């Protein structure tokens, strides 16, 4: 076996051997941690001694033979080749019978108390002296700590008489927490011919040398560093890691891994390492493995029933040997190996002890709960509160996977119905975040518990969102009613919970909010204060700030949505949503307010802000640390925001990624919203086959009782219109209107059903109906509805003659520039360009068509871009490619004034119109354009790069309309 960094130790052994050959007997003790290479060093020295003319006899101790009298001496005599009938063997046999039971610790007083004992020792010692008379004799005993007592007596008798012999005794022992044979060691340490050789762990360089020599090729420094970090230079563990690398090289690719591979050889070495120690060392290591974190000597001592001083000594031994670092295993595979080898019953018992001790010492609930779960410990009164606290902390940190197991155990350990309802409710919330399908098995049991004892309905109220998610509306109403009946004047907190719950029901299923009936007179009195009703039935306005603050965290975000969908100030709601998201981006927070704030921005007609926050929060993802269900929800919201801005590619990608996070069945009625985004996006992209596939995905019937059902009907109507099924499309849009009217939710920011129906009537050739609906839509719009107003103006313009159409389309373009909806802007620009073409203004038309084409390509709207391309005969226009070099000059070369003029020129405005908009003279416009042509290397207006036009942006001031 290759020795690395052991030259100094071999040299010292060689020096002792040379003294021995000169007639000065020697005794050398080789010590070091388990696995430090003591045996390999003895073998290397023995080979060198034989080469130098010595006779070497060896023996090795073992735990199994430590009680066998004269076991070590018997091995030495056998290795010396003495005949079984020799005097030495005879003395051993006689002494085994006569002395074994009466010998004490070698070195103690009276250990050899009569002439008979002395005779046996002299005979055995004389046999070795005879061997040394022929040639120098090396007696090597490995693992001295396992030697039997009679053999130690013989060795000590011989060692005391080495001074003028050619005998060298080499002993090796492992560093131990509790040294064995203390008197024997004390005696040999006092001998004048004694020397000690200590083995230290390998250095980083030594580990690298060992790896390169074993793999027979240079290795990356990173591999040696990783190996050293895991083994701390312990040769035994290092060689095991090398074996894992060699085994990996035998795999099909036949290459040594570039990164450290830790496999079975390392795990087996860890077990061998520990089982070569005393049982107490193994027990402490098992306790450390069970704890999973650094434990104090006091805790470890109580876990294995020893004194703290012994536990501290054992920790020092394990750290010195390289297995532990700062009280924990250097690598999780080492811990795993030990835990897997620990019998299940013993493992559970250790976890139970750990839980009790950590709880007694005031450890964090999560640490205690981990051990309670592993021990399946559920028979103490303090268990349930600790498990609930641990789950609350895990959920607050967005780690629902760490909350489920404690809550399942809490449910099993619950002592009464209230604890069971509370534990099951919390478990539903935790499991929903990892897989919403998992909660269905608990919802029925929860409701059964509430029906059996309605007094605990308030404790189950937190499960309402998950009942609604799965469309179980009747049971939601039943739970709300029971909770309302259970409330009273003393239940202020429950009353606040009920307000938030009603808001949630009204937002998700508007038609059912009024069906919550309270039978409790006291509870009814609490709610008797008059409040204005919002357009969402069942949602009251006028609640105080304190009341809203009192609504629990899982229901409070709903207030943002009700503010947008109700009669509240949309500007205030936008500011509140921005405030929530700003706070969420800078600190750890629950995902509920993030989703609610993003949805509020969408329904406030600010999808641009929604997408900007999605991007910002994606950067802050380590802070959010979202579980799967919330990842899917936020992806779906991002997709809807992208759709409303005309970014069809992003909308389809984000919605597809959302569905990849969870299967369709796990989405509950929310699947309708995701599918609606996909259907609308793929329809606008011209990917009608994909849209048809999404329409074939089953949706729950409960979807059509929710606002997301409106999105689905709108998307399906768009698909029907794109495929020529105009009456079916009209039916879906009319259904949207009827539902929204019955829910008092007729808001264009939810679904502009009149606009969709008007466009369908246009396709049917019924312009009168289209104009009537479009004008009705305009009457509903407020100052912040620029996107819908611009789209509606474009629809109305389609009913005018070309001479009257341009003014309406100009207004539509101006409005849409300020909303960020690039697809609707592209349609408006295309309509305006075609109108100018019909009026004979081909140059102006070409500019508008070029820009519309450019935007439609960016949006992914293939039907529109195709209709505007040069090979579409219906377009009547040619979209010319820019001249070489026309777009190579960046905007930085233009002055601010030139940039403003060029942007308006690219949008198709005449010089006079540009002058009017910028409050300058026509001559000034002409001069700016002349300089722009020169700087961008074009000769005419039609060749100006489309990129000079400003992107569709959102107005910063709601009271002003951006151009």
């Amino acid at each position: 076996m290759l020795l690395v960094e052991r030259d100094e130790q071999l040299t010292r052994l060689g020096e002792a051997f040379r003294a021995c050959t000169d007639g000065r007997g020697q005794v050398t003790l080789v010590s070091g941690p388990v696995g430090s290479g003591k045996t390999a060093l003895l073998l290397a020295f023995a080979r060198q001694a034989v080469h130098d003319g010595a006779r070497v006899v060896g023996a090795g101790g073992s735990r199994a033979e430590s009680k066998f009298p004269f076991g070590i001496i018997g091995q030495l005599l056998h290795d010396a080749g003495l005949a079984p009938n020799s005097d030495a063997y005879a003395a051993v046999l006689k002494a085994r019978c006569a002395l074994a039971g009466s010998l004490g610790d070698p070195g103690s007083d009276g250990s050899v108390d009569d002439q008979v004992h002395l005779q046996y020792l002299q005979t055995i010692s004389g046999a070795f002296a005879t061997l040394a008379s022929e040639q120098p004799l090396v007696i090597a005993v490995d693992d001295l700590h396992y030697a039997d007592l009679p053999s130690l007596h013989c060795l000590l008798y011989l060692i005391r008489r080495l001074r003028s012999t050619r005998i060298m005794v080499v002993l090796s022992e492992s560093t131990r927490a509790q040294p064995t044979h203390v008197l024997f060691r004390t005696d040999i340490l006092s001998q004048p011919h004694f020397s000690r050789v200590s083995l230290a762990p390998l250095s980083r360089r030594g580990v690298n040398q060992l790896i390169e020599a074993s793999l027979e090729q240079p290795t990356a420094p990173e591999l040696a560093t990783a190996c050293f970090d895991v083994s701390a230079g312990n040769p035994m563990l290092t060689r095991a890691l090398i074996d894992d690398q060699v085994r990996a090289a035998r795999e099909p690719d036949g290459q040594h891994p570039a990164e450290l591979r830790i496999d079975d050889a390392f795990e087996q070495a860890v077990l061998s390492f520990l089982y070569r120690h005393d049982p107490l060392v193994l027990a402490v290591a098992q306790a450390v493995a069970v704890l999973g974190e650094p434990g104090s000597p006091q805790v470890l001592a109580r876990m294995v029933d020893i004194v703290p001083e012994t536990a501290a000594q054992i920790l020092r031994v394990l750290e010195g040997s390289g297995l532990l670092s700062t009280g924990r295993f250097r690598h999780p595979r080492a811990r795993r190996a030990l835990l897997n080898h620990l019998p299940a019953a013993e493992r559970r018992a250790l976890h139970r002890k750990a839980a009790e001790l950590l709880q007694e010492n005031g450890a964090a609930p999560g640490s205690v709960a981990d051990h309670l779960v592993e021990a399946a410990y559920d028979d103490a009164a303090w268990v349930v509160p600790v498990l609930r606290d641990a789950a609350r902390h895990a959920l607050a940190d967005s780690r629902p996977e760490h909350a489920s197991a404690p809550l399942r155990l809490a449910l099993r350990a619950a002592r009464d119905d209230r604890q069971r309802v509370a534990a099951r409710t919390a478990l539903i919330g935790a499991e929903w975040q990892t897989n919403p399908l998992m909660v269905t098995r608990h919802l029925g049991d929860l409701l059964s518990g509430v029906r059996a004892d309605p007094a605990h309905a308030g404790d189950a109220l937190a499960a309402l969102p998950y009942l609604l998610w799965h469309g179980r509306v009747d049971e939601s109403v039943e739970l709300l009613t029971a909770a309302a009946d259970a409330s009273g004047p003393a239940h202020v907190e429950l009353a606040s919970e009920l307000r938030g719950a009603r808001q949630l029901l009204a937002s998700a299923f508007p038609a059912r909010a009024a069906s919550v009936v309270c039978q409790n007179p006291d509870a009814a009195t609490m709610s008797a204060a008059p409040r204005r009703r919002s357009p969402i039935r069942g949602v009251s306005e006028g609640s105080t700030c304190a009341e809203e603050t009192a609504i629990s965290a899982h229901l409070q975000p709903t207030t943002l949505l009700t503010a947008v969908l109700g009669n509240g100030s949309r500007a205030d709601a936008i500011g509140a949503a921005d405030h929530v998201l700003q706070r969420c981006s800078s600190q750890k927070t629950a995902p509920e307010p993030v989703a609610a704030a993003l949805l509020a921005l969408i329904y406030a007609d600010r999808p641009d802000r929604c997408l900007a926050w999605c991007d910002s929060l994606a950067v802050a993802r380590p802070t959010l640390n979202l579980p799967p269900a919330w990842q899917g929800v936020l992806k779906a919201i991002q997709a809807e925001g992208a759709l409303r801005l005309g970014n069809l590619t992003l909308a389809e990608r984000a919605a597809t990624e959302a569905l990849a996070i969870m299967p369709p069945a796990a989405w509950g009625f929310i699947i309708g919203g995701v599918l609606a985004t996909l259907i609308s996006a793929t329809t606008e992209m011209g990917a009608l086959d994909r849209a048809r596939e999404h329409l074939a995905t089953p949706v729950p019937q409960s979807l059509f009782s929710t606002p997301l059902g409106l999105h689905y009907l709108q998307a399906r109507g768009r698909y029907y219109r794109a495929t020529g099924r105009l009456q079916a499309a009209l039916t879906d849009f009319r259904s949207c209107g009827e539902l929204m009217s019955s829910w008092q939710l007729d808001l264009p920011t939810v679904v502009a059903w009149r606009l969709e129906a008007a466009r369908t009537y246009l396709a049917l050739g019924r312009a009168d109906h289209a104009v009537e609906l479009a004008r009705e839509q305009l009457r509903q719009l407020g100052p912040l509805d620029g996107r819908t107003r611009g789209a509606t103006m474009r629809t109305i313009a389609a009913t005018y003659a070309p001479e009257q159409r341009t003014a309406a389309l100009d207004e539509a373009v101006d409005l849409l520039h300020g909303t960020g909806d690039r697809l609707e802007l592209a349609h408006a620009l295309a309509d305006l360009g075609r109108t100018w073409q019909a009026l004979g203004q081909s140059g102006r038309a070409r500019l508008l068509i070029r820009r519309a084409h450019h935007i439609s390509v960016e949006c992914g709207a293939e039907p529109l871009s195709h209709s505007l391309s040069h090979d579409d005969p219906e377009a009547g226009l040619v979209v010319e490619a820019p001249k070489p070099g026309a777009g190579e000059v960046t905007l930085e070369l233009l002055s601010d004034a030139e940039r403003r003029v060029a942007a308006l020129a690219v949008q198709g405005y005449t010089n006079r119109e540009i002058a009017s908009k910028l409050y300058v003279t026509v001559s000034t416009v002409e001069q700016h354009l002349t300089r722009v042509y020169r700087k961008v290397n074009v000769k005419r207006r039609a060749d100006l790069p489309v990129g000079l036009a400003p992107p569709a942006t959102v107005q910063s001031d709601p009271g002003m309309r951006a151009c």
Side-chain angles (χ1 to χ4, degrees):
M1 180 180 292
L2 176 68
L3 288 181
V4 174
E5 294 186 338
R6 295 294 183 253
D7 292 343
E8 179 184 348
Q9 289 81 1
L10 279 173
T11 299
R12 294 185 61 188
L13 288 171
E15 291 171 352
F17 174 71
R18 285 191 291 275
C20 162
T21 59
D22 292 339
R24 292 177 287 128
Q26 299 287 310
V27 57
T28 301
L29 178 63
V30 179
S31 61
V34 169
S36 59
K38 299 180 295 295
T39 301
L41 181 66
L42 290 186
L43 290 173
F45 169 66
R47 287 193 296 270
Q48 184 62 43
V50 170
H51 179 270
D52 292 340
R55 182 169 190 174
V56 179
V57 295
S62 70
R63 184 182 287 125
E65 297 183 9
S66 62
K67 302 299 183 183
F68 185 67
F70 295 98
I72 293 294
I73 294 299
Q75 290 183 55
L76 293 172
L77 295 177
H78 177 77
D79 199 34
L82 296 181
N85 57 358
S86 64
D87 292 341
Y89 264 117
V92 167
L93 293 175
K94 292 177 181 179
R96 187 172 289 164
C97 298
L99 303 181
S102 60
L103 293 179
D105 193 5
S108 61
D109 293 340
S111 60
V112 181
D113 55 5
D114 58 33
Q115 193 65 28
V116 175
H117 297 169
L118 182 60
Q119 180 181 351
Y120 293 143
L121 295 176
Q122 288 174 339
T123 303
I124 296 169
S125 180
F128 293 117
T130 300
L131 293 173
S133 64
E134 302 171 1
Q135 60 189 121
L137 177 66
V138 175
I139 299 175
V141 178
D142 198 13
D143 288 336
L144 181 71
H145 42 278
Y146 290 134
D148 60 280
L149 290 178
S151 292
L152 290 177
H153 277 279
C154 291
L155 287 173
L156 186 55
Y157 183 87
L158 176 63
I159 288 169
R160 289 170 178 162
R161 291 157 178 79
L162 290 180
R163 187 169 303 178
S164 57
T165 68
R166 294 197 299 167
I167 299 176
M168 179 179 179
V169 178
V170 185
L171 310 171
S172 79
E173 68 171 2
S174 296
T175 305
R176 306 175 74 76
Q178 295 178 308
T180 56
H181 314 311
V182 177
L183 294 178
F184 175 86
R185 296 176 77 254
T186 302
D187 205 321
I188 65 171
L189 287 174
S190 65
Q191 299 302 315
H193 43 275
F194 171 81
S195 63
R196 182 195 294 274
V197 173
S198 298
L199 299 185
L202 302 179
S203 66
R204 291 179 186 271
R205 182 177 180 182
V207 169
N208 188 60
Q209 290 176 351
L210 188 58
I211 293 175
E212 289 189 347
S214 302
L215 299 183
E216 298 180 348
Q217 66 179 39
T219 57
E222 294 80 9
L223 182 64
T225 298
C227 187
F228 180 83
D229 290 342
V230 173
S231 69
N234 183 291
M236 178 181 180
L237 300 179
T238 301
R239 292 183 188 280
L241 291 171
I242 293 172
D243 288 343
D244 281 334
Q245 312 319 300
V246 172
R247 188 171 303 173
R250 294 173 184 161
E251 293 180 355
D253 58 11
Q255 297 292 324
H256 289 293
E259 297 181 355
L260 186 66
R261 178 84 166 266
I262 301 179
D263 217 325
D264 294 341
F266 177 74
E267 291 193 3
Q268 291 300 319
V270 169
L271 294 175
S272 176
F273 174 93
L274 288 170
Y275 277 93
R276 288 169 62 180
H277 274 288
D278 290 337
L280 280 183
V281 175
L282 175 63
V284 170
Q286 290 170 336
V288 171
V290 165
L291 275 177
E293 58 188 30
S296 67
Q298 291 75 17
V299 170
L300 293 170
R302 291 184 63 181
M303 286 183 68
V304 298
D305 197 21
I306 57 177
V307 297
E309 292 76 14
T310 301
Q313 291 171 353
I314 291 174
L315 285 175
R316 286 194 291 271
V317 167
L318 291 173
E319 294 207 6
S321 60
L323 193 62
L324 300 185
S325 175
T326 62
R328 67 172 75 236
F329 285 92
R330 284 182 169 271
H331 196 275
R333 286 294 290 263
R335 176 173 180 255
R336 190 181 79 176
L338 196 53
L339 290 176
N340 289 343
H341 202 70
L342 191 61
E346 294 180 25
R347 185 169 171 175
R348 284 195 297 271
L350 282 173
H351 277 297
R352 177 168 180 159
K353 283 187 178 180
E356 292 171 341
L357 291 170
L358 291 175
Q359 170 68 5
E360 180 182 316
N361 292 336
S367 298
V368 180
D370 289 342
H371 296 291
L372 291 174
V373 170
E374 291 291 338
Y377 184 18
D378 60 1
D379 54 356
W382 58 270
V383 166
V384 173
V386 169
L387 292 169
R388 292 289 310 280
D389 283 347
R392 272 193 290 269
H393 282 92
L395 291 173
D397 290 339
S398 296
R399 296 182 296 116
E401 68 280 4
H402 294 279
S404 297
L407 289 171
R408 281 193 290 268
L409 183 60
L411 182 59
R412 196 175 75 191
R415 299 299 182 90
D416 54 44
D417 289 341
R418 181 169 189 176
Q419 281 190 339
R420 270 186 286 276
V421 168
R424 196 182 299 278
T425 302
L427 178 59
I428 289 169
E431 291 194 340
W432 174 87
Q433 295 190 50
T434 55
N435 183 357
L437 280 176
M438 295 174 64
V439 307
T440 55
R441 57 182 176 172
H442 297 298
L443 290 172
D445 292 337
L446 178 68
L447 290 167
S448 296
V450 170
R451 291 176 187 129
D453 189 351
H456 304 312
D459 296 310
L461 203 55
L464 181 71
Y466 315 113
L467 284 166
L468 294 174
W469 176 279
H470 287 287
R472 300 170 73 161
V473 190
D474 291 338
E475 291 165 315
S476 299
V477 171
E478 179 187 354
L479 176 60
L480 261 173
T481 303
D485 291 342
S487 66
H491 297 84
V492 177
E493 184 177 348
L494 178 56
S496 298
E497 293 269 341
L498 283 167
R499 280 194 293 274
R502 289 193 183 99
Q503 287 182 355
L504 180 61
L505 177 61
S507 297
F509 291 88
R512 298 300 304 274
S515 58
V516 180
V517 180
C518 177
Q519 304 295 336
N520 186 331
D522 292 331
T525 301
M526 294 181 64
S527 303
R531 300 177 187 269
R532 289 187 297 114
R533 309 298 290 182
S534 79
I536 302 180
R537 295 174 58 196
V539 178
S540 297
E541 296 181 2
S543 58
T544 66
C545 180
E547 287 172 337
E548 298 298 344
T549 304
I551 297 174
S552 64
H554 59 277
L555 296 174
Q556 192 175 23
T558 316
T559 59
L560 272 173
L561 287 176
T562 57
V564 173
L565 301 178
N567 284 334
S569 166
R570 194 189 301 178
D572 289 346
I574 293 171
D578 281 339
H579 177 73
V580 168
L581 292 167
Q582 183 65 49
R583 187 176 69 248
C584 294
S585 67
S586 60
Q587 63 188 41
K588 187 175 292 185
T589 185
E592 289 93 332
V594 176
L598 292 174
L599 275 176
L601 288 174
I602 283 181
Y603 287 132
D605 210 17
R606 295 305 300 270
D608 60 307
R609 294 177 86 100
C610 173
L611 280 195
W613 277 115
C614 284
D615 292 340
S616 175
L617 294 171
V619 174
R621 176 60 60 85
T623 303
L624 287 175
N625 190 28
L626 294 175
W630 283 113
Q631 289 181 34
V633 168
L634 294 189
K635 275 289 181 186
I637 294 173
Q638 181 189 27
E640 178 63 20
L643 177 68
R644 292 183 179 224
L645 291 177
N647 192 338
L648 305 178
T649 304
L650 175 58
E652 183 185 27
R653 183 175 72 246
T656 302
E657 290 174 356
L659 289 181
I661 293 171
M662 295 188 297
W667 281 88
F669 76 85
I670 308 295
I671 186 66
V674 188
L675 290 174
T677 302
L678 281 169
I679 294 164
S680 288
T682 50
T683 297
E684 291 287 352
M685 296 169 77
L688 298 179
D689 288 343
R690 294 206 298 274
R692 184 168 56 251
E693 291 174 3
H694 296 311
L695 275 169
T697 302
V699 295
Q701 188 59 37
S702 60
L703 168 66
F704 300 101
S705 299
T706 73
L708 288 182
L710 304 175
H711 292 282
Y712 189 86
L713 289 171
Q714 178 190 43
R716 190 172 67 183
R718 287 171 172 172
Y719 171 80
Y720 287 155
R721 187 172 62 210
T723 54
R725 299 171 62 183
L726 300 179
Q727 289 298 338
L730 201 57
T731 299
D732 276 348
F733 298 139
R734 287 288 187 185
S735 296
C736 281
E738 292 167 3
L739 290 171
M740 295 172 76
S741 177
S742 68
W743 297 341
Q744 301 180 36
L745 191 62
D746 196 355
L747 301 173
T749 56
V750 178
V751 168
W753 69 270
R754 292 177 181 83
L755 174 60
E756 298 289 356
R759 289 177 174 175
T760 308
Y761 276 123
L762 278 178
L764 286 167
R766 298 168 67 180
D768 52 340
H769 286 74
V771 170
E772 180 183 351
L773 281 171
R775 294 196 182 283
E776 185 180 338
Q777 182 75 84
L778 284 178
R779 287 192 294 272
Q780 277 206 323
L781 300 178
L784 299 182
D785 295 318
R787 191 170 67 91
T788 306
R789 186 180 297 277
T792 306
M793 288 302 300
R794 181 175 80 85
T795 303
I796 291 175
T799 66
Y800 294 162
E803 296 80 7
Q804 302 171 313
R805 196 180 302 162
T806 56
L809 288 174
D810 277 338
E811 183 180 355
V813 169
D814 285 349
L815 286 164
L816 292 169
H817 263 300
T819 66
D821 188 342
R822 291 177 61 75
L823 181 58
E824 194 63 41
L825 174 62
H827 279 291
L829 289 169
D831 288 353
L832 186 56
R834 286 166 175 154
T835 300
W836 283 118
Q837 177 69 15
L839 295 173
Q841 298 285 334
S842 59
R844 189 170 188 176
R846 186 177 293 107
L847 284 171
L848 293 165
I849 293 294
R850 286 176 60 220
R851 182 150 190 250
H853 182 267
H854 177 77
I855 296 174
S856 66
V857 170
E858 285 184 340
C859 292
E862 197 278 335
L864 177 58
S865 63
H866 179 73
S867 71
L868 297 173
S869 63
H870 65 279
D871 58 352
D872 188 346
E874 294 182 5
L877 296 167
V878 175
V879 180
E880 298 177 356
K883 300 295 183 183
E888 296 176 0
V889 180
T890 62
L891 288 176
E892 283 74 10
L893 294 178
L894 303 181
S895 68
D896 290 342
E898 291 166 352
R899 196 177 303 152
R900 286 193 293 269
V901 169
L904 292 172
V906 168
Q907 294 176 57
Y909 291 103
T910 65
N911 289 357
R912 186 171 300 280
E913 289 170 333
I914 295 173
S916 176
K917 281 183 172 292
L918 298 181
Y919 302 102
V920 296
T921 66
V922 175
S923 175
T924 301
V925 173
E926 291 172 347
Q927 294 172 32
H928 284 319
L929 282 177
T930 299
R931 287 192 292 270
V932 170
Y933 294 161
R934 184 174 66 252
K935 289 182 179 182
V936 300
N937 193 26
V938 299
K939 294 182 178 180
R940 57 179 182 166
R941 196 187 205 94
D943 294 333
L944 284 172
V946 175
L948 290 174
T953 56
V954 176
Q955 57 201 39
S956 57
D957 184 349
M960 297 181 63
R961 193 178 69 204
C963 293

